[in-house]
Amino acid sequence: MAHIKFLDETMRDGQQSLWGMKMQAGMALPVTPIIDQTGYETISLAGSSLHEVLIRKCKEDPWAGLDMLVKSMPETPLRAGCRSNGSVTFGFTPDALMDLWVERLCVHGIRSFWLYDVLFNIDKMHRLAKIAKSHGCKVAGTMLFTLSPVHTDEYYADKADKLSALPEVDSLLLYDTGGVLDRERISKLVPAIVAKSRGKPIEMHANNMLGQSAKSYMDAIEFGVTVLHTAVRPMANGPSIPSIEIMTKNVEMMGHTHNIDVSKLKPVADHFERVGKAAGYLVNQHFEYDVTALRHQIPGGMMGTLKTQLKEQNMEEKLPEVLAEVAQVRRELGYPGMATPFAQLVGTLAVLNIVTGKRYSVVPDEVIQYAAGFYGEPVAPIDADVMDRIMDKPRAKEIISHPPEQPDVAELRRRHGTGEDDDELILRALVPASDIEQMRKSGPPARDYPTLSSPELEQVSRLMKVAHTPFVQLRSEQLDLTMRR
C-alpha cells in the first residue's frame, strides 16, 4: 500500500480548461483559506497566460490578485508553471525576462514550480530551476506525454534520467495533456521512468479528455506514482483533470492512505459551482470516450480555441475535418508534443488549411520559426515536402535571418520604460500599455464575486457581456454590489 499526496489544480488547470483562465481573485478568495487547510501537498496557482487573460479580458491586476490569494493561503506551498523559452510571451521570451519572471513569482510568494519544454531543452529548464531553488522553491521537472512512433518508453526514460540528475529538481511530473494514457502503456512507461528517477517522487497530471484519467491514476499508483493532480468536482473532468472527491475515495477503497480532510471539499465545491454558474462558465463537465482524441491529442484548452476560430469563419460544421487535419499536420511537422506552444501552432495551421482549401498556402510565422529550429530540435524530421512549402514562403527568409533576440534586463527596462519596477516590466512584456491602462481604471481586484441568482442580475450580466464592460456597480438602499466580468 502507498501513501498518496494530492496537488490541487482547481485554480490553475481547472479554471484554465473550463473557464478560459478568467478566474478572478475574488472568485476564489472566499474559500482559499479552506483549500489551504485541506491537506494538499501543493496548490497550483499561477502562470503567465493567466496574467495576460486577467489583464485583457477581466481588467484585473494579476499581481494584486496573486498577492491576495497568496496571503490567504499561508500554510500550503503555491505552485506556478513555466515553459522554459516562452512563458512571458506566446512566442519567444528572452532568457533574461524568463529569469526575471521566475524571480518575481518567488518574491510574490510562489514556492513551487513545474518547469517544462516540449522539445526538452534541458539546459534552459535547468537555468530556471537554479533561480527557483535560490528562493527556496521546490521544482518539478516535467515530461509532457504524447502518443507518437518516436515518443517511446525509452525516450521518456532518457528524459527522466537527465531531469532527475539535476540537483535542483525535486520530483518528476508525467503530464498527459490529452488524457490518452491507458493501463497497457502505463505498465511499461511508469516503471521505465521510476527506474531513472533516482528515487525522486513521480507526479501525474492527466486531463480527462477521454473520461479515463481517474482509472489511469489508479493504474499509475500501482506502478510507482505517488502524487496526483486533481480539482474539486465542479472544476474537474471533461477537459480538466479528475476530481479530488473521486480520487480520495478510490485511493481509500484500494487501501492507500492520504492527508486530505474530505470534510472540507464540499464547501469549496459548492462555492465554485455557484460562482461558475453566476459567471456563465462551465462546471461539472464530463467527456465520453472518443477514439478520435487518440489521433489529434488536442488538449482541453485548445479545443475551445479551435471552435472559436471556426465560428469566426462561420464554419463550425468543419470541426471533424479540422480534427483530422490536426492529426495529419502533427505527423508532417515531426510529432511535436501537443502542449503550448505547439498545440496552438498545429491547431491554427490545421484551421488555415481547411478554411483556405489549400494546404500550407498560409503559414504563420511561428510555424516557420519551429521549422527553422528556433524552438529546438524537432523530435522527428519534418516531412520534406512540407518543409519545402514552409521555407518557400516570402516570410521565411526574413524570419530565418532574424533569430530571437536576447536583450538583458537593462535593455528590456529601457525598451519598456519601466525603470526598476520589474512587475510592471512583466506586464508590459505580456500586453500593450493600453490594456494595462484600462485594467488600472477598473480599480483594485474585488474580494468576492456575486453569486445571487435573480432575473435582474442575470440581465445585468448579459448586458455587461454585450457592452464589453469590465464591471458595474449596483447601489440602492438595499444593495451595494459590484459585478465584474
Side-chain angles (χ1 to χ4, degrees):
M1 298 300 102
H3 182 73
I4 304 305
K5 298 177 180 180
F6 288 97
L7 181 146
D8 180 58
E9 284 281 6
T10 300
M11 294 176 284
R12 206 283 300 173
D13 192 39
Q15 70 109 346
Q16 179 172 340
S17 296
L18 300 182
W19 293 9
M21 298 182 279
K22 295 178 183 177
M23 181 182 287
Q24 297 157 250
M27 292 176 163
L29 202 59
V31 293
T32 49
I34 303 175
I35 299 173
D36 189 38
Q37 297 296 322
T38 299
Y40 292 108
E41 176 76 0
T42 312
I43 297 170
S44 192
L45 191 63
S48 62
S49 295
L50 308 184
H51 269 48
E52 181 179 358
V53 171
L54 283 170
I55 298 169
R56 286 182 176 274
K57 303 295 184 181
C58 304
K59 311 302 179 188
E60 178 167 295
D61 184 343
W63 288 124
L66 178 61
D67 288 343
M68 292 162 60
L69 293 170
V70 169
K71 185 177 180 181
S72 72
M73 295 181 284
E75 301 297 327
T76 311
L78 305 177
R79 175 175 284 188
C82 287
R83 175 164 60 96
S84 74
N85 59 0
S87 275
V88 181
T89 57
F90 176 75
F92 293 95
T93 300
D95 290 349
L97 194 56
M98 280 304 310
D99 296 350
L100 188 63
W101 168 240
V102 172
E103 181 181 325
R104 295 312 300 168
L105 286 170
C106 292
V107 169
H108 281 270
I110 294 299
R111 287 297 174 265
S112 176
F113 285 86
W114 64 283
L115 303 177
Y116 79 98
D117 187 300
V118 182
L119 298 181
F120 288 97
N121 292 295
I122 303 291
D123 290 344
K124 287 182 175 290
M125 296 172 69
H126 191 197
R127 193 190 74 251
L128 297 180
K130 289 179 180 178
I131 296 171
K133 213 62 180 173
S134 71
H135 288 269
C137 297
K138 290 189 174 182
V139 174
T142 304
M143 297 171 289
L144 287 160
F145 181 79
T146 189
L147 290 173
S148 86
V150 292
H151 288 89
T152 62
D153 297 341
E154 293 76 18
Y155 176 89
Y156 285 108
D158 175 67
K159 305 310 177 189
D161 185 40
K162 289 181 170 63
L163 288 172
S164 66
L166 304 179
E168 294 81 7
V169 168
D170 300 286
S171 62
L172 300 179
L173 169 56
L174 178 59
Y175 200 119
D176 180 12
T177 61
V180 296
L181 276 170
D182 58 17
R183 182 180 176 82
E184 181 180 1
R185 184 65 189 271
I186 286 170
S187 68
K188 301 180 182 71
L189 174 65
V190 173
I193 291 172
V194 170
K196 297 293 185 179
S197 68
R198 292 175 171 81
K200 296 180 178 181
I202 310 298
E203 305 180 26
M204 185 169 175
H205 181 117
N207 293 83
N208 210 7
M209 296 290 289
L210 282 83
Q212 66 178 5
S213 293
K215 173 65 165 58
S216 297
Y217 277 3
M218 296 308 297
D219 293 332
I221 290 173
E222 183 178 337
F223 293 102
V225 167
T226 58
V227 183
L228 301 177
H229 293 200
T230 59
V232 291
R233 183 163 282 133
M235 307 300 294
N237 298 314
S240 183
I241 61 275
S243 74
I244 181 64
E245 289 88 346
I246 197 61
M247 289 315 306
T248 50
K249 178 181 177 181
N250 289 342
V251 163
E252 292 168 5
M253 290 292 290
M254 297 305 294
H256 306 300
T257 58
H258 62 78
N259 291 335
I260 299 297
D261 182 350
V262 295
S263 69
K264 297 186 183 299
L265 301 180
K266 188 176 188 306
V268 176
D270 289 347
H271 170 80
F272 282 112
E273 183 169 8
R274 288 193 301 269
V275 170
K277 288 180 177 178
Y281 298 155
L282 296 176
V283 293
N284 300 317
Q285 295 297 291
H286 295 280
F287 280 1
E288 295 181 306
Y289 188 87
D290 184 347
V291 174
T292 58
L294 296 173
R295 299 179 180 179
H296 60 68
Q297 297 183 67
I298 294 171
M302 185 59 196
M303 186 65 75
T305 301
L306 288 181
K307 292 178 179 178
T308 298
Q309 290 173 336
L310 290 174
K311 186 175 182 180
E312 291 172 351
Q313 301 292 328
N314 294 315
M315 298 177 70
E316 297 98 316
E317 76 283 355
K318 295 287 188 179
L319 182 61
E321 291 181 50
V322 168
L323 297 182
E325 182 68 11
V326 164
Q328 183 170 346
V329 168
R330 182 169 174 264
R331 287 195 301 272
E332 293 168 343
L333 291 184
Y335 295 103
M338 292 300 281
T340 301
F342 302 125
Q344 291 84 349
L345 300 189
V346 171
T348 299
L349 187 51
V351 169
L352 289 170
N353 287 350
I354 297 299
V355 169
T356 62
K358 187 177 180 182
R359 304 187 76 239
Y360 297 99
S361 61
V362 179
V363 177
D365 288 356
E366 292 82 2
V367 175
I368 298 173
Q369 291 173 328
Y370 165 74
F374 289 178
Y375 287 94
E377 186 70 24
V379 181
I382 297 173
D383 178 88
D385 178 61
V386 168
M387 177 67 93
D388 289 342
R389 294 194 206 183
I390 292 172
M391 291 306 174
D392 282 344
K393 299 301 175 191
R395 284 280 294 157
K397 185 175 181 180
E398 179 182 352
I399 289 172
I400 292 171
S401 63
H402 293 85
E405 295 182 285
Q406 289 291 355
D408 60 19
V409 172
E411 173 60 18
L412 290 167
R413 289 170 177 165
R414 186 193 67 77
R415 291 182 186 183
H416 291 284
T418 55
E420 298 296 317
D421 188 345
D422 289 331
D423 283 354
E424 182 73 9
L425 173 57
I426 297 293
L427 298 187
R428 288 180 182 268
L430 278 169
V431 300
S434 58
D435 287 328
I436 299 173
E437 182 180 353
Q438 288 298 313
M439 172 197 80
R440 296 219 161 95
K441 287 181 180 178
S442 296
R447 298 194 64 83
D448 56 17
Y449 188 85
T451 57
L452 298 173
S453 179
S454 72
E456 291 81 8
L457 289 179
E458 291 175 4
Q459 178 67 14
V460 170
S461 181
R462 286 194 294 270
L463 289 173
M464 288 170 64
K465 290 180 180 179
V466 170
H468 302 290
T469 300
F471 73 98
V472 64
Q473 289 183 318
L474 308 176
R475 289 182 177 174
S476 68
E477 292 182 2
Q478 293 80 26
L479 183 68
D480 185 355
L481 180 69
T482 299
M483 291 184 65
R484 294 178 182 268
R485 291 180 62 210

